Amino acid sequence: IISETPLIVQELIDKSNLNLDIAIINSHKSSVVSGLIDEIDQFKHYLETSNIDYFNLNSKYAFHSRYIEPIVSEFESTLTNLTTHTFKVPMISTANLQELTTNDLTANYWATQIRKPVQFAYAIDKALTYEIDIFLEIGASSALINYINDIVNSNEKTLVYN
C-alpha cells in the first residue's frame, strides 16, 4: 500500500520500468500495487531509495493485474450459470463506476472485475452523489472504514459511526 495519489503511484511504476499494475485505489491517497513477487521486491527497494513509505501486503496472488489474465476465461466459464437477484439499493461497480442492474452481473462482468483495478475511492465518490450517508463494511476486519472516512472527508461530508 502506497500513501500517494493514484497518479503519483502510476508515475512511480512507470519510472521503475517494472511490469506492475495499480490493483486497488483505496482512497485518493492510497493505492495497492500488484505484480510478480520478484518485481514487487524490486519496487519496494525503489520506493525505499526514493524515500517513499509503503506497507507490504502479504498476498500470494497478483489480483487485479495483468498476471491474472491466464485464469480469466476459466473463471468466467465457472460462472456461466450465475443467478442474480434484485437488489434494493444502488450497486456501483468498482471496475467501471457505473450503477449496476441485475442484468449487468454476468459471468463476463465478474471476469472483468477480477482483472481490472478496484476503483474503490471513485465508487465511494459516486455513492456520495446519491446522498448515501451510511456505509456498512461486512467482512473479517474493518480495513476499509478509514479509507471511506478519507474519501468522505475529501468530499467535505461527515460520516459518523461507532
Side-chain angles (χ1 to χ4, degrees):
I1 300 174
I2 303 169
S3 296
E4 293 289 351
T5 67
L7 181 62
I8 290 174
V9 172
Q10 188 59 58
E11 288 173 359
L12 291 166
I13 291 170
D14 294 344
K15 287 178 184 175
S16 74
N17 292 316
L18 296 168
N19 293 312
L20 302 172
D21 297 308
I22 293 179
I24 307 169
I25 301 169
N26 290 319
S27 74
H28 301 293
K29 52 188 176 185
S30 175
S31 296
V32 175
V33 173
S34 187
L36 299 178
I37 292 172
D38 289 348
E39 292 201 335
I40 290 290
D41 287 341
Q42 290 175 55
F43 191 60
K44 290 188 311 191
H45 178 72
Y46 173 75
L47 294 173
E48 289 164 3
T49 59
S50 301
N51 293 317
I52 297 170
D53 292 329
Y54 66 89
F55 176 80
N56 191 54
L57 294 176
N58 291 319
S59 177
K60 295 179 183 178
Y61 306 101
F63 290 115
H64 307 289
S65 76
R66 67 191 82 192
Y67 298 105
I68 211 77
E69 198 67 46
I71 69 155
V72 169
S73 51
E74 181 182 349
F75 180 77
E76 184 175 356
S77 69
T78 64
L79 298 176
T80 54
N81 295 322
L82 184 67
T83 302
T84 58
H85 300 279
T86 305
F87 28 89
K88 296 178 182 177
V89 295
M91 183 172 171
I92 300 165
S93 170
T94 60
N96 65 25
L97 304 176
Q98 301 300 310
E99 184 174 340
L100 299 171
T101 67
T102 53
N103 293 334
D104 296 320
L105 299 177
T106 63
N108 180 262
Y109 170 80
W110 292 112
T112 301
Q113 179 73 19
I114 68 167
R115 170 58 184 92
K116 286 192 170 189
V118 175
Q119 300 179 75
F120 183 75
Y122 305 129
I124 297 296
D125 284 338
K126 185 155 186 171
L128 291 170
T129 68
Y130 289 81
E131 299 300 321
I132 292 172
D133 57 2
I134 297 173
F135 292 88
L136 176 63
E137 181 173 357
I138 300 171
S141 71
S142 57
L144 298 175
I145 194 67
N146 290 329
Y147 297 126
I148 293 170
N149 274 322
D150 285 346
I151 297 159
V152 168
N153 291 335
S154 72
N155 282 277
E156 299 179 352
K157 297 188 181 239
T158 303
L159 179 66
V160 178
Y161 68 96
N162 58 18

